[in-house]
Amino acid sequence: MISLDKMDATQVWRILVVVRLLSVFVPQSGYLHPDEFFQTTEVVAGDILDVQHHRTWEFTWENPIRSILLPYAAYGPVLFLLRLLNLATPCLVLVLPRLVISIAGIIVDSCTFDLCRKYNNNGYTSMLLYSTSYVAWTYMTHTFSNSIETILFAVLLAVTSGACPIMCKQRRGGQSSSRETALIAAILTVGMFNRPTFLIFAFVPVTHWLWNSVISERRFSDRINFVVNQLSVMSIVCVLISVVFVVVDTIYFRYESVRHIPKDIENCVVSDKKIECLRKMYTTYKPSIVISPYNFLAYNSQSSNLSRHGNHPFYFHTLVSLPLLFGPMVIFVLWRILKNVLNVMLGGSLKVNSDFHLDDVYIVSCFSFPLVVFSCISHQEPRFLLPLFPLGVVIATKTMASFKMKKLIFMKFCVVNLLGLLVFGFLHQGGIVPGISQLQKKIASNKGDSHVVFYHTYMPPEHLFLHPEDSESKLYIYDLGGASFEKLEKKMESIRTIAADKPQDERSGIWVVAPKTVVADVRKLSVKYGTVDKYWHLSMEDPPRMVEWFKRELSFTEIVGDFSLVVAEVKSWKLFKDGGQTKKKSSR
């Protein structure tokens, strides 16, 4: 499709992968969504480094909905290494976990290439499309649970479709498919404990794989035996892996409740009534068992719970999420889906690229089924469809082969993705991470308590402050989100009261962090500011005043200033009215 021979395409892909990994070390300051921290590294880093951190309701609820095993397994080793070598800095604590997911993400490149070759596509074109997408450079280099879900789904697609070279060699060698079945079962189980929604993505590929395996047997009795054998292998693997997850999660979340289990088991072994003893143990400890996928489904099955996170129309994923993730590629993806739907309805009479293949229907079904299911769920976010991105590349590659002006299309794709990388990789909420990195140094040198107020920003990842849990000086983080000015004013007044009670040698450090677009509120506070630092930042909730700039009501310098985050240190307090009298109080 693109005028690059095999060697050139491979070399370009290798260069892009290397640059993608190096971009992690810049580091990318873009902050895509709070879940990239608060479902993974916030908790793991807090535990391993013994630093102050914030546990969201997903981990503190009486029935935790997130498993702790996979985040620990993925990011725990590098964080433990930092602790062991005493090298923990905000930059390294941010970068090393991202490097882990970025290296693992290369698997997606490989699986996309294998899938394209399997379905008669240009595999080298698919590699370039994927490796030049901003999704591969941002979402797949950040520590989302969705990124892990994408890797697992890409591997599952390659294995179930026979695109995985290793599995193909085993099949040609006449070896048993038990190893392949065990691998599929392992992927399903790990994916389910990572995000239970993984089963929605896996439904079509696993069903297709099982059906093809069954019909390959000629006799009915052989088919029955095959199904029984395969399901037995899958069940055993699923149970074994599930037990590991459940045991680890239960010990982590409910240690105090279950720490006597080993002693109780010993008592049951020497007891004359072993069955009764074990039954009593089960009754006693059953409420303490943590099965995170069950808790996840129980929570999200209630519409009232979903509405707390925001409701979206059924067309949100199709009209917003897909264009946001795929850019220009979405046209080719949706076009092929439409043609295949019409083909199924018309019995294959409508031609797609001159031929109608069942493989086409299968690939499109793998994409469409999760899209339809997730569109029926009220709470929708673009990252929920992240596992569909490699599959969308496969579909787009095949569709683009029949279009003219391929170079022009690819150039437009690159321009859009460069813009996406700039916005989501560096600008979107981009001042929070570097701002915290600088604040960490100031707070570490402050002998007294520290108060940091975040106003109209995403939740600050507290573990990046690296403030020891047992430190004598306290760090207070106030996440006001999109609160009103009145709430900001009340919070600052409460901080003033707390700071005024401190002795002179334990002066409190106080900072206000806010986007430049709402800095007018910060200026209205009755405080005097000292050092003011600025960082590149784009808030979609409080966007720059582009309309005013286009109307020439703002200068170029002013509009550029709107793309910044302000970190202002409170130096002293102005005059406050208290009980009808005017007093001057200082926190210093």
Side-chain angles (χ1 to χ4, degrees):
M1 177 188 128
I2 302 164
S3 59
L4 286 171
D5 59 29
K6 175 181 176 181
M7 186 59 68
D8 289 337
T10 304
Q11 290 176 347
V12 171
W13 172 75
R14 288 173 179 169
I15 293 172
L16 288 170
V17 169
V18 171
V19 176
R20 187 199 309 170
L21 296 179
L22 291 177
S23 74
V24 174
F25 289 94
V26 172
Q28 290 186 22
S29 57
Y31 182 178
L32 298 174
H33 192 280
D35 285 352
E36 69 176 276
F37 293 111
F38 292 95
Q39 288 184 359
T40 51
T41 52
E42 177 78 7
V43 176
V44 178
D47 289 344
I48 293 177
L49 301 177
D50 289 330
V51 295
Q52 180 175 320
H53 60 286
H54 175 69
R55 291 175 183 267
T56 58
W57 65 273
E58 296 160 303
F59 295 96
T60 59
W61 194 38
E62 58 180 356
N63 296 312
I65 69 171
R66 297 289 175 192
S67 173
I68 199 64
L69 176 56
L70 202 54
Y72 255 87
Y75 311 118
V78 292
L79 293 172
F80 182 78
L81 184 64
L82 288 178
R83 173 172 178 166
L84 190 66
L85 300 177
N86 196 26
L87 294 175
T89 64
C91 182
L92 288 178
V93 172
L94 173 75
V95 163
L96 290 188
R98 286 185 176 181
L99 181 63
V100 171
I101 194 67
S102 300
I103 293 174
I106 298 175
I107 297 172
V108 180
D109 293 71
S110 177
C111 290
T112 304
F113 174 75
D114 292 335
L115 285 168
C116 278
R117 287 200 309 176
K118 168 71 176 179
Y119 295 107
N120 300 317
N121 290 356
N122 188 328
Y124 298 99
T125 297
S126 70
M127 282 199 310
L128 292 178
L129 283 176
Y130 179 80
S131 58
T132 54
S133 67
Y134 87 91
V135 171
W137 289 64
T138 55
Y139 282 95
M140 294 305 297
T141 61
H142 289 223
T143 53
F144 284 106
S145 59
N146 307 88
S147 303
I148 297 176
E149 187 178 35
T150 303
I151 296 170
L152 292 172
F153 185 55
V155 174
L156 182 69
L157 283 170
V159 174
T160 55
S161 64
C164 181
I166 298 176
M167 291 302 167
C168 289
K169 290 179 181 179
Q170 288 185 357
R171 289 176 181 178
R172 287 197 296 269
Q175 296 181 14
S176 171
S177 60
S178 295
R179 185 177 299 178
E180 180 180 339
T181 304
L183 176 59
I184 291 172
I187 295 172
L188 285 174
T189 311
V190 173
M192 179 183 67
F193 276 89
N194 176 57
R195 293 183 67 87
T197 53
F198 182 75
L199 299 180
I200 297 173
F201 293 104
F203 178 77
V204 174
V206 173
T207 303
H208 180 262
W209 164 79
L210 190 59
W211 174 257
N212 282 346
S213 300
V214 169
I215 63 174
S216 64
E217 301 290 342
R218 294 184 178 180
R219 293 188 301 177
F220 180 76
S221 59
D222 292 338
R223 292 180 178 180
I224 297 298
N225 290 333
F226 177 84
V227 171
V228 172
N229 291 336
Q230 297 302 87
L231 292 181
S232 298
V233 173
M234 293 185 75
S235 299
I236 293 172
V237 174
C238 287
V239 169
L240 290 176
I241 296 178
S242 296
V243 167
V244 174
F245 273 91
V246 171
V247 168
V248 172
D249 289 341
T250 301
I251 294 174
Y252 182 84
F253 291 109
R254 305 275 173 78
Y255 176 74
E256 289 300 323
S257 301
V258 300
R259 62 191 181 94
H260 297 297
I261 286 182
K263 185 177 180 180
D264 290 343
I265 292 177
E266 291 180 6
N267 293 336
C268 286
V269 170
V270 298
S271 174
D272 295 332
K273 300 179 180 179
K274 293 182 176 58
I275 302 299
E276 183 178 346
C277 180
L278 291 173
R279 187 182 293 114
K280 184 179 180 180
M281 269 190 64
Y282 174 75
T283 304
T284 302
Y285 292 110
K286 181 182 177 182
S288 300
I289 297 175
V290 176
I291 306 177
S292 59
Y294 173 79
N295 297 338
F296 179 95
L297 295 174
Y299 177 86
N300 287 284
S301 62
Q302 300 181 26
S303 57
S304 59
N305 290 335
L306 290 176
S307 62
R308 297 176 187 173
H309 306 280
N311 291 323
H312 302 84
F314 70 92
Y315 52 80
F316 181 84
H317 274 322
T318 303
L319 299 185
V320 178
S321 299
L322 289 182
L324 186 63
L325 290 174
F326 288 90
M329 271 201 305
V330 71
I331 299 173
F332 304 103
V333 174
L334 295 178
W335 174 252
R336 196 161 198 87
I337 291 175
L338 178 61
K339 280 203 167 188
N340 274 272
V341 170
L342 292 175
N343 262 315
V344 172
M345 294 174 62
L346 300 175
S349 59
L350 180 65
K351 303 300 180 184
V352 182
N353 287 355
S354 75
D355 285 304
F356 175 69
H357 298 291
L358 288 177
D359 284 343
D360 229 35
V361 177
Y362 165 65
I363 287 294
V364 168
S365 297
C366 289
F367 188 96
S368 302
F369 179 77
L371 175 62
V372 171
V373 174
F374 282 110
S375 296
C376 295
I377 300 174
S378 60
H379 179 59
Q380 302 173 25
E381 295 179 28
R383 64 191 174 92
F384 293 169
L385 300 185
L386 189 60
L388 294 181
F389 189 80
L391 199 56
V393 171
V394 175
I395 296 173
T397 303
K398 195 166 187 177
T399 309
M400 291 170 67
S402 61
F403 280 76
K404 298 179 180 179
M405 298 186 296
K406 300 178 183 64
K407 289 183 179 179
L408 180 61
I409 294 171
F410 185 72
M411 289 301 296
K412 289 183 177 180
F413 176 79
C414 290
V415 170
V416 170
N417 280 284
L418 280 173
L419 181 61
L421 175 60
L422 174 64
V423 172
F424 294 104
F426 295 94
L427 285 178
H428 186 259
Q429 297 287 325
I432 296 177
V433 170
I436 289 176
S437 182
Q438 291 301 315
L439 277 174
Q440 186 269 336
K441 298 175 183 177
K442 296 179 180 180
I443 291 171
S445 61
N446 184 40
K447 295 181 179 180
D449 294 342
S450 300
H451 303 261
V452 186
V453 180
F454 286 84
Y455 182 61
H456 282 240
T457 68
Y458 276 5
M459 290 173 62
E462 295 186 18
H463 72 283
L464 293 181
F465 283 98
L466 296 180
H467 191 76
E469 286 274 24
D470 56 355
S471 175
E472 293 183 1
S473 60
K474 302 298 181 182
L475 170 61
Y476 298 96
I477 305 294
Y478 307 98
D479 174 31
L480 299 187
S484 63
F485 170 73
E486 288 72 21
K487 290 185 177 179
L488 172 63
E489 195 172 33
K490 288 180 180 179
K491 180 57 66 179
M492 292 300 294
E493 175 64 15
S494 67
I495 294 173
R496 180 185 70 86
T497 303
I498 296 172
D501 295 334
K502 296 293 181 180
Q504 186 69 16
D505 59 344
E506 295 181 7
R507 294 177 300 178
S508 297
I510 305 170
W511 292 268
V512 180
V513 182
K516 178 65 165 57
T517 47
V518 297
V519 80
D521 286 350
V522 178
R523 286 173 179 165
K524 287 191 293 185
L525 294 171
S526 299
V527 299
K528 292 182 179 180
Y529 296 105
T531 305
V532 176
D533 298 319
K534 294 183 180 181
Y535 306 90
W536 287 106
H537 185 88
L538 171 62
S539 172
M540 298 295 191
E541 291 74 20
D542 300 284
R545 297 165 291 175
M546 299 300 295
V547 175
E548 288 83 349
W549 181 60
F550 280 122
K551 291 180 179 180
R552 297 185 178 181
E553 296 175 2
L554 294 177
S555 67
F556 179 75
T557 303
E558 288 175 319
I559 193 62
V560 170
D562 279 359
F563 288 85
S564 62
L565 183 77
V566 174
V567 180
E569 182 180 9
V570 175
K571 200 69 175 176
S572 61
W573 304 93
K574 293 181 181 178
L575 295 179
F576 280 87
K577 290 183 179 180
D578 186 9
Q581 297 179 349
T582 301
K583 299 180 180 181
K584 186 175 182 180
K585 294 187 178 181
S586 174
S587 66
R588 299 292 180 179

